[in-house]
Amino acid sequence: MTEKMTEKDNGGMLHMKGISASPGVAIGRVFVLDRRNRRIFKTYIAEHEVESEVQRLRAAVQKAGEQIQAMLRSMQDELREHIAILETHQLMLKDSMILDKSIDMIQRKMVNAEWALDHSLNHVRRLFGHIQDTYIRERIHDVEDVVARIQDILSGTQGIPMEQHTNPVVVVAHDLSPADTIQLNRKNVLAFVTEMGSRTSHTAIIARSLGIPAVVAVAGVTKYVFTGEDIVVDGITGDIFIRPDEDIIAHYTDKQACYIQHRQAMLLQSHLPAVTADGFSVSVQANIELADELDVAIASGAEGVGLLRTEFLYVGRNDLPSEDELFQAYFECVKRMSPKPVTIRTLDVGGDKFLSSLPVSPQTNPALGLRAIRLCLKEIDLFFTQLRAIYRVSAFGKLRILFPLISGCSEIQQIKVHLNSVKEQLRAEGIPFDEDVKLGVMIEVPTAVMMADLLAKEVDFFSIGTNDLIQYSMAIDRVNEHVAHLYDPLHPGILRMIHRSVEAGRLQGIQVGMCGEMAGEPAYTPIMVGMGLDEISMNADSIPKVKHIIRRCNAGLCRELVNRLLTACTSQEAREILEDFLSRYLPDERQLTHPYLCDAARH
Ligand code: PEP
Ligand code: MG
C-alpha cells in the first residue's frame, strides 16, 4: 500500500497518493461512504422467540436473494461480464457456513439474528485467514458483502444513500465491494477513491469497465475528507487533492479536457494497424485471463490474444477442470477472436497462484519451486488434459501454444515427447486437430536468454515475459512490496537480455513478442519498436495508447534509441536517454508517456 501525504499551508489543501486503478481525471464534490460504522448489538431472546428469529433471518436471506436477482436483471450491458460476482453472492446466501451456522447460534445461544450472523462471519474469516490461495482468501470480501446485505435488511438500513444526490459526486470509501460499485448510480459517480484495494481488485476492474477514474489504497483518506468538500482525482497517476486550490483546479481542468480528447481520438483510431511512419508494423495483441475480457479487447483494437493466461479456470475451486470444460473455454476464445490468432499459455501455477485441487507441500521459495512447466511435467495427467483440450480446439481456429518458465532445451524436448503422445491419442480416437500448431516458449528465466539461439531452433516463436525475467534476473521477488522499488525494466541488464533474445529469434527466423507488463507501457513503446519485436501483448486498456504511439514513431529513430540504450551503464542513464528521445520525437504524447517515466517502480 503506498501513501504519500503533504499538507499544504494554502487553506488546508491536502495532497494524497494512492494506486491508479482506472484512468481519467475527475473534479467534483465528495460523498463519503463509510460502512464501517455499522454496529451490531447483541441481544438475548426468549425461548419462545427463537423460531420467529430464525424466520426473520430466513426472510432477510430470501429478500437479499431477491435484491441480487433484481440487480442481475437490470445489469447494464457493459457490466454483464461481472454477473459471476453476483451469482457467487447468490450461492453464498445458501452456504451452510453462513445460514445454518447462524440458525444454530440463534437456537443454541438464543441471540438475535444480526449477532448470530456476525459470529458466523468471524468464524468464516478465521477459516479464510489460513488459506494459502490468495484468490480464494480474498473471496472473504464477497462473504462480508453478502452478510452486510442481510444485516442491512434485518436492521432496515438498506442500500447506499446515493440516490439523495442529484449532482454527480466522487465516492470516497474505506472499501467498495463489487456489488456496491455496480449498485451505485453511475451517472452520479465521477470517480472512486478507496482506502483498500489494488489494481486487480474486482472494484478496480469494474471501475475500468465503466470508464470511471479510480484511485485505490489511499491510506486513511476517509479520515481527512467530509461529504460536500471539493476534490480532484487523477486516476492516471494516483494523485488526489482534497480542498484543491484554484491553481490545482485550473491545472486538472486542462488535464481532464486533454485526457478526454486524447482518449476519444485514440479509441476512434484503435482499429488502425500499428505501423510506424516509416512502414514498420507491430502486431498489438491482448493479454486476457477469461473469455469475458474479449469484447473489451476487440473494441480496443486487439489484433489477437497474445497471452491467454489459463490459470483462472483452475484456481478458486476444489476440483480440476475437465477436458471438456477447458475445451469449451478455449473454443469460446478462439471462435470469438477468429480469424485473429489466440496464444494459449499452458498452466502457470505454483509461483503466486496455487491450486486447492492440487495441494503441493509448502515451499520456502515458491517462485523458485515447483511452478509452471515444472509442475506440468510432474503432474502429467493434468498437463495431458490441458494439451488435449488445446489441440481439440486447434481444429476450429488459429491458435498457438506457449510454454511458461522454460529454462533451457531439455524442457522443450520433454514437452515434445508429450505432445506427440497427445497427438497419437487424438488420431487414434479420430478427433481432428491442426497438425501444425505453432509452439512457443516464454523467455522469462535468465538461462532461456542465454540459450535463446538454440531454443529458437526448437520452437516457432518466443514471448518475452518481463515480469518474471526481471524478477529472476535482478533477484527481486515480484510480490514483495519491500523490493518493488528496485523492479526496473530500464535496467541496462534487462534491456540487453531483451535485445539478445530478439536477435536470437531474428537470426533463426522465428517471431519474437513480448507479453510482460513492460509491453503495455506507452513510454517503452519506442524501445519495443527499436528492438524489432514482431508483436507485443498487453492489457486491453493500453492497446489504443500503444498503437497510437507506434503510429507516431519512426522505426529508424527507435533503432538508434535502442543502440544508445545498449551503451547505458545505469538505469538512470537509460532513463535519461529515453526521456531525451521522448521529448525530442514524441513531445505531443507526453500525457501518455510521462506518468510511466516518473515512477520507475510501477509495473
Ligand atoms: C511475465 O512473466 O512477464 C508474464 C507475462 O507472465 P506472468 O505475469 O503471468 O507470470
Ligand atoms: Mg511469467
Side-chain angles (χ1 to χ4, degrees), residues 68 84-90 92-93 98 121 124 128 135-149 175-179 202-203:
I68 296 173
I85 298 167
L86 292 177
E87 284 174 346
T88 313
H89 285 195
Q90 256 181 336
M92 283 176 180
L93 286 173
I98 300 173
L121 177 61
V124 179
F128 273 60
Y135 180 83
I136 303 185
R137 203 174 51 238
E138 283 180 2
R139 292 311 99 214
I140 188 63
H141 300 309
D142 289 315
V143 182
E144 285 167 345
D145 197 40
V146 166
V147 168
R149 179 180 296 281
D175 197 9
L176 280 174
S177 71
H202 274 132
T203 303

mmCIF file of all heavy atoms in Angstrom, residues 68 84-90 92-93 98 121 124 128 135-149 175-179 202-203:
data_model
loop_
_atom_site.group_PDB
_atom_site.id
_atom_site.type_symbol
_atom_site.label_atom_id
_atom_site.label_comp_id
_atom_site.label_asym_id
_atom_site.label_seq_id
_atom_site.Cartn_x
_atom_site.Cartn_y
_atom_site.Cartn_z
ATOM 1 N N ILE A 68 -30.515 -9.366 -5.180
ATOM 2 C CA ILE A 68 -29.428 -9.712 -6.100
ATOM 3 C C ILE A 68 -30.015 -10.091 -7.469
ATOM 4 O O ILE A 68 -29.501 -9.688 -8.516
ATOM 5 C CB ILE A 68 -28.557 -10.852 -5.522
ATOM 6 C CG1 ILE A 68 -27.879 -10.372 -4.232
ATOM 7 C CG2 ILE A 68 -27.513 -11.320 -6.529
ATOM 8 C CD1 ILE A 68 -27.130 -11.436 -3.471
ATOM 9 N N ALA A 84 -20.920 -12.939 -12.778
ATOM 10 C CA ALA A 84 -20.418 -14.037 -11.944
ATOM 11 C C ALA A 84 -20.286 -13.624 -10.484
ATOM 12 O O ALA A 84 -20.538 -14.423 -9.583
ATOM 13 C CB ALA A 84 -19.079 -14.511 -12.477
ATOM 14 N N ILE A 85 -19.937 -12.351 -10.228
ATOM 15 C CA ILE A 85 -19.758 -11.905 -8.841
ATOM 16 C C ILE A 85 -21.093 -12.014 -8.104
ATOM 17 O O ILE A 85 -21.179 -12.548 -6.998
ATOM 18 C CB ILE A 85 -19.289 -10.432 -8.809
ATOM 19 C CG1 ILE A 85 -17.943 -10.302 -9.504
ATOM 20 C CG2 ILE A 85 -19.223 -9.917 -7.385
ATOM 21 C CD1 ILE A 85 -17.572 -8.852 -9.785
ATOM 22 N N LEU A 86 -22.152 -11.514 -8.747
ATOM 23 C CA LEU A 86 -23.452 -11.538 -8.092
ATOM 24 C C LEU A 86 -23.988 -12.962 -7.993
ATOM 25 O O LEU A 86 -24.631 -13.332 -7.013
ATOM 26 C CB LEU A 86 -24.442 -10.646 -8.853
ATOM 27 C CG LEU A 86 -24.128 -9.153 -8.769
ATOM 28 C CD1 LEU A 86 -25.100 -8.348 -9.607
ATOM 29 C CD2 LEU A 86 -24.174 -8.660 -7.332
ATOM 30 N N GLU A 87 -23.676 -13.766 -9.001
ATOM 31 C CA GLU A 87 -24.120 -15.169 -8.917
ATOM 32 C C GLU A 87 -23.435 -15.872 -7.757
ATOM 33 O O GLU A 87 -24.042 -16.673 -7.053
ATOM 34 C CB GLU A 87 -23.851 -15.880 -10.244
ATOM 35 C CG GLU A 87 -24.876 -15.463 -11.296
ATOM 36 C CD GLU A 87 -24.589 -16.025 -12.687
ATOM 37 O OE1 GLU A 87 -23.465 -16.520 -12.915
ATOM 38 O OE2 GLU A 87 -25.480 -15.927 -13.535
ATOM 39 N N THR A 88 -22.157 -15.522 -7.527
ATOM 40 C CA THR A 88 -21.454 -16.101 -6.377
ATOM 41 C C THR A 88 -22.145 -15.667 -5.090
ATOM 42 O O THR A 88 -22.323 -16.456 -4.163
ATOM 43 C CB THR A 88 -19.986 -15.601 -6.350
ATOM 44 O OG1 THR A 88 -19.458 -15.743 -7.634
ATOM 45 C CG2 THR A 88 -19.161 -16.333 -5.341
ATOM 46 N N HIS A 89 -22.552 -14.404 -5.027
ATOM 47 C CA HIS A 89 -23.241 -13.915 -3.828
ATOM 48 C C HIS A 89 -24.517 -14.699 -3.589
ATOM 49 O O HIS A 89 -24.851 -15.030 -2.454
ATOM 50 C CB HIS A 89 -23.565 -12.421 -3.978
ATOM 51 C CG HIS A 89 -22.348 -11.558 -3.812
ATOM 52 N ND1 HIS A 89 -22.410 -10.206 -3.599
ATOM 53 C CD2 HIS A 89 -21.037 -11.863 -3.809
ATOM 54 C CE1 HIS A 89 -21.188 -9.730 -3.484
ATOM 55 N NE2 HIS A 89 -20.343 -10.710 -3.631
ATOM 56 N N GLN A 90 -25.199 -15.025 -4.679
ATOM 57 C CA GLN A 90 -26.437 -15.785 -4.518
ATOM 58 C C GLN A 90 -26.163 -17.166 -3.943
ATOM 59 O O GLN A 90 -26.881 -17.648 -3.079
ATOM 60 C CB GLN A 90 -27.125 -15.915 -5.873
ATOM 61 C CG GLN A 90 -28.293 -14.971 -5.947
ATOM 62 C CD GLN A 90 -29.033 -15.080 -7.250
ATOM 63 O OE1 GLN A 90 -28.462 -15.502 -8.242
ATOM 64 N NE2 GLN A 90 -30.280 -14.692 -7.245
ATOM 65 N N MET A 92 -23.666 -17.922 -2.065
ATOM 66 C CA MET A 92 -23.243 -17.774 -0.665
ATOM 67 C C MET A 92 -24.423 -17.658 0.280
ATOM 68 O O MET A 92 -24.336 -18.040 1.441
ATOM 69 C CB MET A 92 -22.345 -16.552 -0.522
ATOM 70 C CG MET A 92 -20.949 -16.815 -1.027
ATOM 71 S SD MET A 92 -19.964 -15.337 -0.943
ATOM 72 C CE MET A 92 -18.434 -15.974 -1.603
ATOM 73 N N LEU A 93 -25.509 -17.108 -0.226
ATOM 74 C CA LEU A 93 -26.696 -16.981 0.627
ATOM 75 C C LEU A 93 -27.173 -18.348 1.109
ATOM 76 O O LEU A 93 -27.794 -18.475 2.147
ATOM 77 C CB LEU A 93 -27.838 -16.311 -0.154
ATOM 78 C CG LEU A 93 -27.705 -14.819 -0.408
ATOM 79 C CD1 LEU A 93 -28.800 -14.345 -1.327
ATOM 80 C CD2 LEU A 93 -27.762 -14.042 0.903
ATOM 81 N N ILE A 98 -22.817 -19.881 6.581
ATOM 82 C CA ILE A 98 -23.440 -18.625 6.982
ATOM 83 C C ILE A 98 -24.824 -18.889 7.551
ATOM 84 O O ILE A 98 -25.074 -18.656 8.738
ATOM 85 C CB ILE A 98 -23.544 -17.646 5.789
ATOM 86 C CG1 ILE A 98 -22.148 -17.349 5.260
ATOM 87 C CG2 ILE A 98 -24.242 -16.366 6.207
ATOM 88 C CD1 ILE A 98 -22.119 -16.541 4.004
ATOM 89 N N LEU A 121 -19.783 -14.925 10.501
ATOM 90 C CA LEU A 121 -18.830 -14.252 9.616
ATOM 91 C C LEU A 121 -17.418 -14.323 10.197
ATOM 92 O O LEU A 121 -16.451 -14.609 9.483
ATOM 93 C CB LEU A 121 -19.254 -12.789 9.410
ATOM 94 C CG LEU A 121 -18.317 -11.938 8.570
ATOM 95 C CD1 LEU A 121 -18.170 -12.486 7.154
ATOM 96 C CD2 LEU A 121 -18.806 -10.486 8.495
ATOM 97 N N VAL A 124 -15.985 -17.683 9.591
ATOM 98 C CA VAL A 124 -15.546 -17.855 8.199
ATOM 99 C C VAL A 124 -14.250 -17.072 7.959
ATOM 100 O O VAL A 124 -13.321 -17.545 7.308
ATOM 101 C CB VAL A 124 -16.641 -17.389 7.199
ATOM 102 C CG1 VAL A 124 -16.183 -17.552 5.757
ATOM 103 C CG2 VAL A 124 -17.926 -18.164 7.421
ATOM 104 N N PHE A 128 -10.846 -18.554 6.402
ATOM 105 C CA PHE A 128 -10.237 -17.999 5.192
ATOM 106 C C PHE A 128 -8.813 -17.508 5.452
ATOM 107 O O PHE A 128 -7.973 -17.537 4.570
ATOM 108 C CB PHE A 128 -11.085 -16.843 4.628
ATOM 109 C CG PHE A 128 -12.177 -17.295 3.699
ATOM 110 C CD1 PHE A 128 -13.166 -18.164 4.151
ATOM 111 C CD2 PHE A 128 -12.226 -16.861 2.389
ATOM 112 C CE1 PHE A 128 -14.176 -18.588 3.302
ATOM 113 C CE2 PHE A 128 -13.241 -17.278 1.523
ATOM 114 C CZ PHE A 128 -14.214 -18.139 1.992
ATOM 115 N N TYR A 135 -6.364 -16.017 -4.195
ATOM 116 C CA TYR A 135 -7.641 -15.754 -4.853
ATOM 117 C C TYR A 135 -8.790 -16.191 -3.946
ATOM 118 O O TYR A 135 -9.728 -15.431 -3.708
ATOM 119 C CB TYR A 135 -7.704 -16.494 -6.200
ATOM 120 C CG TYR A 135 -9.010 -16.257 -6.917
ATOM 121 C CD1 TYR A 135 -9.186 -15.108 -7.674
ATOM 122 C CD2 TYR A 135 -10.067 -17.155 -6.795
ATOM 123 C CE1 TYR A 135 -10.378 -14.858 -8.316
ATOM 124 C CE2 TYR A 135 -11.276 -16.916 -7.434
ATOM 125 C CZ TYR A 135 -11.426 -15.766 -8.195
ATOM 126 O OH TYR A 135 -12.616 -15.524 -8.818
ATOM 127 N N ILE A 136 -8.682 -17.387 -3.392
ATOM 128 C CA ILE A 136 -9.782 -17.875 -2.532
ATOM 129 C C ILE A 136 -9.830 -17.033 -1.262
ATOM 130 O O ILE A 136 -10.902 -16.647 -0.796
ATOM 131 C CB ILE A 136 -9.595 -19.357 -2.153
ATOM 132 C CG1 ILE A 136 -9.481 -20.201 -3.413
ATOM 133 C CG2 ILE A 136 -10.767 -19.842 -1.304
ATOM 134 C CD1 ILE A 136 -9.422 -21.679 -3.147
ATOM 135 N N ARG A 137 -8.640 -16.723 -0.700
ATOM 136 C CA ARG A 137 -8.615 -15.960 0.552
ATOM 137 C C ARG A 137 -9.341 -14.629 0.371
ATOM 138 O O ARG A 137 -10.085 -14.194 1.238
ATOM 139 C CB ARG A 137 -7.175 -15.745 0.992
ATOM 140 C CG ARG A 137 -7.070 -15.491 2.473
ATOM 141 C CD ARG A 137 -5.643 -15.426 2.982
ATOM 142 N NE ARG A 137 -4.816 -14.529 2.223
ATOM 143 C CZ ARG A 137 -3.703 -14.899 1.610
ATOM 144 N NH1 ARG A 137 -3.283 -16.130 1.679
ATOM 145 N NH2 ARG A 137 -2.996 -14.021 0.924
ATOM 146 N N GLU A 138 -9.162 -14.034 -0.788
ATOM 147 C CA GLU A 138 -9.785 -12.726 -0.998
ATOM 148 C C GLU A 138 -11.291 -12.805 -1.206
ATOM 149 O O GLU A 138 -11.981 -11.798 -1.160
ATOM 150 C CB GLU A 138 -9.114 -12.017 -2.172
ATOM 151 C CG GLU A 138 -7.770 -11.468 -1.724
ATOM 152 C CD GLU A 138 -7.024 -10.755 -2.824
ATOM 153 O OE1 GLU A 138 -7.560 -10.652 -3.925
ATOM 154 O OE2 GLU A 138 -5.894 -10.318 -2.543
ATOM 155 N N ARG A 139 -11.800 -14.037 -1.428
ATOM 156 C CA ARG A 139 -13.264 -14.184 -1.576
ATOM 157 C C ARG A 139 -13.967 -13.847 -0.273
ATOM 158 O O ARG A 139 -15.173 -13.722 -0.225
ATOM 159 C CB ARG A 139 -13.660 -15.607 -2.009
ATOM 160 C CG ARG A 139 -13.266 -16.068 -3.400
ATOM 161 C CD ARG A 139 -13.617 -15.100 -4.480
ATOM 162 N NE ARG A 139 -12.435 -14.347 -4.814
ATOM 163 C CZ ARG A 139 -12.415 -13.080 -5.188
ATOM 164 N NH1 ARG A 139 -13.509 -12.408 -5.308
ATOM 165 N NH2 ARG A 139 -11.297 -12.480 -5.451
ATOM 166 N N ILE A 140 -13.217 -13.705 0.833
ATOM 167 C CA ILE A 140 -13.842 -13.328 2.104
ATOM 168 C C ILE A 140 -14.598 -12.011 1.931
ATOM 169 O O ILE A 140 -15.615 -11.787 2.568
ATOM 170 C CB ILE A 140 -12.792 -13.242 3.247
ATOM 171 C CG1 ILE A 140 -13.469 -13.031 4.608
ATOM 172 C CG2 ILE A 140 -11.802 -12.136 3.026
ATOM 173 C CD1 ILE A 140 -14.361 -14.100 5.061
ATOM 174 N N HIS A 141 -14.125 -11.154 1.028
ATOM 175 C CA HIS A 141 -14.818 -9.874 0.836
ATOM 176 C C HIS A 141 -16.215 -10.100 0.260
ATOM 177 O O HIS A 141 -17.135 -9.352 0.554
ATOM 178 C CB HIS A 141 -14.000 -8.960 -0.080
ATOM 179 C CG HIS A 141 -12.644 -8.653 0.493
ATOM 180 N ND1 HIS A 141 -12.486 -8.184 1.781
ATOM 181 C CD2 HIS A 141 -11.402 -8.790 -0.013
ATOM 182 C CE1 HIS A 141 -11.205 -8.031 2.024
ATOM 183 N NE2 HIS A 141 -10.525 -8.399 0.958
ATOM 184 N N ASP A 142 -16.360 -11.140 -0.548
ATOM 185 C CA ASP A 142 -17.692 -11.442 -1.070
ATOM 186 C C ASP A 142 -18.590 -11.926 0.066
ATOM 187 O O ASP A 142 -19.759 -11.568 0.141
ATOM 188 C CB ASP A 142 -17.603 -12.510 -2.175
ATOM 189 C CG ASP A 142 -16.973 -11.952 -3.444
ATOM 190 O OD1 ASP A 142 -17.350 -10.839 -3.835
ATOM 191 O OD2 ASP A 142 -16.094 -12.605 -4.024
ATOM 192 N N VAL A 143 -18.013 -12.750 0.956
ATOM 193 C CA VAL A 143 -18.816 -13.244 2.096
ATOM 194 C C VAL A 143 -19.232 -12.042 2.952
ATOM 195 O O VAL A 143 -20.394 -11.915 3.362
ATOM 196 C CB VAL A 143 -18.001 -14.252 2.961
ATOM 197 C CG1 VAL A 143 -18.865 -14.788 4.094
ATOM 198 C CG2 VAL A 143 -17.467 -15.389 2.106
ATOM 199 N N GLU A 144 -18.279 -11.139 3.216
ATOM 200 C CA GLU A 144 -18.585 -9.953 4.040
ATOM 201 C C GLU A 144 -19.695 -9.129 3.399
ATOM 202 O O GLU A 144 -20.590 -8.620 4.063
ATOM 203 C CB GLU A 144 -17.324 -9.084 4.199
ATOM 204 C CG GLU A 144 -16.328 -9.684 5.167
ATOM 205 C CD GLU A 144 -14.959 -9.021 5.097
ATOM 206 O OE1 GLU A 144 -14.686 -8.292 4.116
ATOM 207 O OE2 GLU A 144 -14.159 -9.246 6.019
ATOM 208 N N ASP A 145 -19.630 -9.032 2.090
ATOM 209 C CA ASP A 145 -20.603 -8.240 1.365
ATOM 210 C C ASP A 145 -22.007 -8.833 1.488
ATOM 211 O O ASP A 145 -22.996 -8.126 1.707
ATOM 212 C CB ASP A 145 -20.158 -8.216 -0.095
ATOM 213 C CG ASP A 145 -20.825 -7.121 -0.866
ATOM 214 O OD1 ASP A 145 -20.968 -6.032 -0.303
ATOM 215 O OD2 ASP A 145 -21.218 -7.369 -2.004
ATOM 216 N N VAL A 146 -22.068 -10.155 1.366
ATOM 217 C CA VAL A 146 -23.364 -10.838 1.462
ATOM 218 C C VAL A 146 -23.925 -10.679 2.872
ATOM 219 O O VAL A 146 -25.107 -10.360 3.060
ATOM 220 C CB VAL A 146 -23.179 -12.336 1.095
ATOM 221 C CG1 VAL A 146 -24.397 -13.135 1.499
ATOM 222 C CG2 VAL A 146 -22.939 -12.474 -0.395
ATOM 223 N N VAL A 147 -23.068 -10.857 3.875
ATOM 224 C CA VAL A 147 -23.528 -10.732 5.261
ATOM 225 C C VAL A 147 -23.987 -9.294 5.529
ATOM 226 O O VAL A 147 -25.029 -9.064 6.154
ATOM 227 C CB VAL A 147 -22.404 -11.167 6.250
ATOM 228 C CG1 VAL A 147 -22.750 -10.784 7.676
ATOM 229 C CG2 VAL A 147 -22.190 -12.664 6.147
ATOM 230 N N ALA A 148 -23.250 -8.311 5.008
ATOM 231 C CA ALA A 148 -23.632 -6.905 5.207
ATOM 232 C C ALA A 148 -25.006 -6.646 4.620
ATOM 233 O O ALA A 148 -25.836 -5.944 5.202
ATOM 234 C CB ALA A 148 -22.602 -5.987 4.564
ATOM 235 N N ARG A 149 -25.271 -7.248 3.452
ATOM 236 C CA ARG A 149 -26.573 -7.049 2.805
ATOM 237 C C ARG A 149 -27.698 -7.603 3.687
ATOM 238 O O ARG A 149 -28.718 -6.952 3.898
ATOM 239 C CB ARG A 149 -26.568 -7.736 1.433
ATOM 240 C CG ARG A 149 -27.879 -7.624 0.680
ATOM 241 C CD ARG A 149 -27.796 -8.335 -0.667
ATOM 242 N NE ARG A 149 -26.827 -7.723 -1.553
ATOM 243 C CZ ARG A 149 -27.055 -6.619 -2.255
ATOM 244 N NH1 ARG A 149 -28.230 -6.019 -2.194
ATOM 245 N NH2 ARG A 149 -26.123 -6.119 -3.020
ATOM 246 N N ASP A 175 -13.724 0.917 1.682
ATOM 247 C CA ASP A 175 -13.646 -0.130 0.668
ATOM 248 C C ASP A 175 -14.977 -0.152 -0.058
ATOM 249 O O ASP A 175 -15.996 0.220 0.516
ATOM 250 C CB ASP A 175 -13.402 -1.490 1.356
ATOM 251 C CG ASP A 175 -12.913 -2.531 0.362
ATOM 252 O OD1 ASP A 175 -12.606 -2.154 -0.775
ATOM 253 O OD2 ASP A 175 -12.838 -3.709 0.734
ATOM 254 N N LEU A 176 -14.978 -0.554 -1.275
ATOM 255 C CA LEU A 176 -16.234 -0.709 -2.013
ATOM 256 C C LEU A 176 -16.279 -2.132 -2.514
ATOM 257 O O LEU A 176 -15.328 -2.589 -3.152
ATOM 258 C CB LEU A 176 -16.260 0.226 -3.231
ATOM 259 C CG LEU A 176 -16.610 1.683 -2.999
ATOM 260 C CD1 LEU A 176 -16.424 2.452 -4.288
ATOM 261 C CD2 LEU A 176 -18.046 1.825 -2.516
ATOM 262 N N SER A 177 -17.356 -2.812 -2.193
ATOM 263 C CA SER A 177 -17.451 -4.173 -2.710
ATOM 264 C C SER A 177 -17.825 -4.075 -4.186
ATOM 265 O O SER A 177 -18.358 -3.052 -4.632
ATOM 266 C CB SER A 177 -18.522 -4.946 -1.964
ATOM 267 O OG SER A 177 -19.771 -4.430 -2.340
ATOM 268 N N PRO A 178 -17.591 -5.150 -4.954
ATOM 269 C CA PRO A 178 -18.004 -5.117 -6.361
ATOM 270 C C PRO A 178 -19.492 -4.823 -6.475
ATOM 271 O O PRO A 178 -19.915 -4.079 -7.369
ATOM 272 C CB PRO A 178 -17.693 -6.532 -6.845
ATOM 273 C CG PRO A 178 -16.634 -7.020 -5.936
ATOM 274 C CD PRO A 178 -16.885 -6.385 -4.609
ATOM 275 N N ALA A 179 -20.292 -5.383 -5.545
ATOM 276 C CA ALA A 179 -21.741 -5.143 -5.632
ATOM 277 C C ALA A 179 -22.055 -3.672 -5.387
ATOM 278 O O ALA A 179 -22.904 -3.092 -6.052
ATOM 279 C CB ALA A 179 -22.472 -6.013 -4.619
ATOM 280 N N HIS A 202 -11.616 -6.548 -7.742
ATOM 281 C CA HIS A 202 -12.809 -6.514 -8.595
ATOM 282 C C HIS A 202 -13.321 -5.093 -8.787
ATOM 283 O O HIS A 202 -13.771 -4.715 -9.858
ATOM 284 C CB HIS A 202 -13.920 -7.352 -7.958
ATOM 285 C CG HIS A 202 -13.831 -8.793 -8.310
ATOM 286 N ND1 HIS A 202 -13.915 -9.791 -7.387
ATOM 287 C CD2 HIS A 202 -13.649 -9.391 -9.501
ATOM 288 C CE1 HIS A 202 -13.795 -10.950 -7.994
ATOM 289 N NE2 HIS A 202 -13.636 -10.739 -9.277
ATOM 290 N N THR A 203 -13.258 -4.302 -7.714
ATOM 291 C CA THR A 203 -13.780 -2.945 -7.796
ATOM 292 C C THR A 203 -13.009 -2.139 -8.841
ATOM 293 O O THR A 203 -13.595 -1.404 -9.634
ATOM 294 C CB THR A 203 -13.688 -2.284 -6.409
ATOM 295 O OG1 THR A 203 -14.408 -3.125 -5.512
ATOM 296 C CG2 THR A 203 -14.276 -0.908 -6.403
#
